[in-house]
Amino acid sequence: MASSPEYAKFLGNRLRDIRIQQGLSLQGVEDKSGGKWKAVVIGSYERGDRAITVARLAELAVFYRVPVAELLPDGAPLPVEPGSKLTLDLAALYDHSSPELTHVARYARGIQQRRGDYNGRILSIRADDLAALAIIYDTTPSSLLEKLSELGVLISDPAKFFAELKDAE
């Protein structure tokens, strides 16, 4: 799942901020890493010209001696507006056999418990919940949203979902 160019630029700015905070030039990163991190590659990540994999981002976090979450941009735009809600199909989520959904299912159960909401069909979550889950999965909110949609647990139109559910009865 590729991240958006806008997110890549936000991520690149965050990478640059961390490097500068550590007093390193691009060449300094290459020298300090013994050539593992080429100045031109780090520069392209920082400009957002080149996508960085999760594995490489984790390695870069180790090099900079910071948690991966510190490399993720705080102000990066979410794929949904803050304050808006996403709707999960709980039956599809809880019945899905994919281990990729373990954390989402646990998170959804926690929300249900806090709300005392056990209607069993859907659960609305906030954009902030999506951002928190993306950190747990070490991915971007956009990528996680895409994955949830691919796995069939995201309801894009709750009204249509309930109409189809009623028609099926």
Side-chain angles (χ1 to χ4, degrees):
M1 290 185 271
S3 30
S4 71
E6 191 173 75
Y7 190 87
K9 290 203 183 295
F10 276 98
L11 177 60
N13 286 335
R14 185 66 185 134
L15 292 172
R16 182 178 298 111
D17 290 345
I18 295 286
R19 176 180 57 77
I20 291 169
Q21 285 175 15
Q22 295 193 2
L24 293 169
S25 64
L26 290 171
Q27 188 59 50
V29 170
E30 185 169 340
D31 295 344
K32 184 177 177 184
S33 71
K36 177 178 180 175
W37 296 101
K38 301 292 183 202
V40 68
V41 172
I42 296 297
S44 65
Y45 290 152
E46 290 180 1
R47 288 187 306 278
D49 294 339
R50 183 178 190 158
I52 186 168
T53 65
V54 172
R56 291 292 281 172
L57 187 62
E59 290 173 19
L60 194 53
V62 169
F63 172 76
Y64 285 140
R65 295 184 177 147
V66 298
V68 174
E70 287 298 315
L71 297 178
L72 299 175
D74 292 331
L78 293 173
V80 292
E81 291 297 315
S84 65
K85 296 185 181 206
L86 306 167
T87 306
L88 299 177
D89 180 340
L90 292 176
L93 176 62
Y94 296 151
D95 292 344
H96 209 289
S97 61
S98 174
E100 292 177 288
L101 292 173
T102 302
H103 299 301
V104 176
R106 185 177 302 132
Y107 197 87
R109 283 187 182 98
I111 291 172
Q112 281 185 288
Q113 286 177 328
R114 282 191 306 278
R115 292 180 186 169
D117 179 6
Y118 298 100
N119 72 25
R121 287 303 311 165
I122 66 166
L123 180 72
S124 294
I125 63 171
R126 302 178 320 247
D128 291 344
D129 295 319
L130 180 67
L133 283 165
I135 290 169
I136 292 167
Y137 280 96
D138 202 16
T139 190
T140 66
S142 297
S143 295
L144 182 56
L145 192 61
E146 184 178 321
K147 186 57 131 178
L148 293 173
S149 183
E150 285 173 11
L151 293 171
V153 300
L154 189 64
I155 299 171
S156 58
D157 184 350
K160 182 178 176 185
F161 174 80
F162 277 117
E164 290 172 358
L165 193 61
K166 188 174 183 176
D167 290 343
E169 291 176 347

